[in-house]
Amino acid sequence: MDFDEFTGTVQHRLELPGTGETVRAIRATLMTLGSRIPAGAAEDLAASLPMEIDWYLTGAADEHGQRFDWREFVARVGEIERTDPPKAAYHAQVVVDLVGSLVPPSDLQQLRDQLPESESDENWGKLFGVIDAGGWEEHERS
């Protein structure tokens, strides 16, 4: 999948009006995710993504391996994307679902392992909500 296909797919799934908003949603999610996970895990995920997208996980992240929780993740994504937390969370789920369909299953599992889940309702498991519901096609039908 190339850059145009990736952004077009995200734009369609999120029903965003333009490429600018779409790239901002992708950038916000992947930069924040890249900041949260170790550099090696970010590089593994990035290897299967279009060149213009993979940089958000690797080069654009200020510092890899930062420790923050799901709420902070959503707040950071929302701040970069300039949207409210519920939209930021949903946009991140949709972007991660597309990434998950492009990377090897072992890389997706490695990502899950890097993000600990807690008993609280606000946990990293929410990032994989669309994936866990069967992926975008199943999510769209429900």
Side-chain angles (χ1 to χ4, degrees):
M1 179 174 281
D2 67 16
F3 174 78
D4 291 333
E5 291 171 303
F6 190 97
T7 56
T9 299
V10 172
Q11 183 174 355
H12 169 74
R13 290 179 180 183
L14 294 178
E15 299 177 358
L16 295 172
T19 304
E21 296 90 346
T22 303
V23 170
R24 192 166 40 252
I26 294 166
R27 180 174 53 90
T29 297
L30 297 182
M31 279 179 58
T32 307
L33 190 58
S35 295
R36 176 60 179 80
I37 61 177
E43 289 167 8
D44 289 346
L45 278 179
S48 299
L49 301 179
M51 172 178 63
E52 302 89 344
I53 302 291
D54 71 4
W55 186 80
Y56 297 135
L57 277 166
T58 57
D62 292 334
E63 175 187 337
H64 294 285
Q66 296 176 34
R67 301 311 256 167
F68 51 84
D69 63 12
W70 168 249
R71 285 181 185 221
E72 177 65 18
F73 174 83
V74 171
R76 289 181 185 199
V77 170
E79 185 177 318
I80 295 167
E81 193 178 346
R82 291 179 259 160
T83 193
D84 60 59
K87 280 185 183 175
Y90 180 66
H91 291 178
Q93 289 175 338
V94 170
V95 170
V96 168
D97 174 63
L98 183 55
V99 169
S101 73
L102 299 175
V103 303
S106 60
D107 289 347
L108 187 59
Q109 185 58 53
Q110 180 183 17
L111 175 61
R112 285 181 184 264
D113 293 344
Q114 296 294 325
L115 303 170
E117 294 187 40
S118 70
E119 295 300 315
S120 122
D121 189 40
E122 296 293 323
N123 67 57
W124 285 104
K126 290 186 175 189
L127 183 60
F128 304 99
V130 174
I131 293 171
D132 292 343
W136 178 254
E137 288 75 23
E138 283 299 315
H139 175 75
E140 193 172 47
R141 283 185 225 153
S142 50

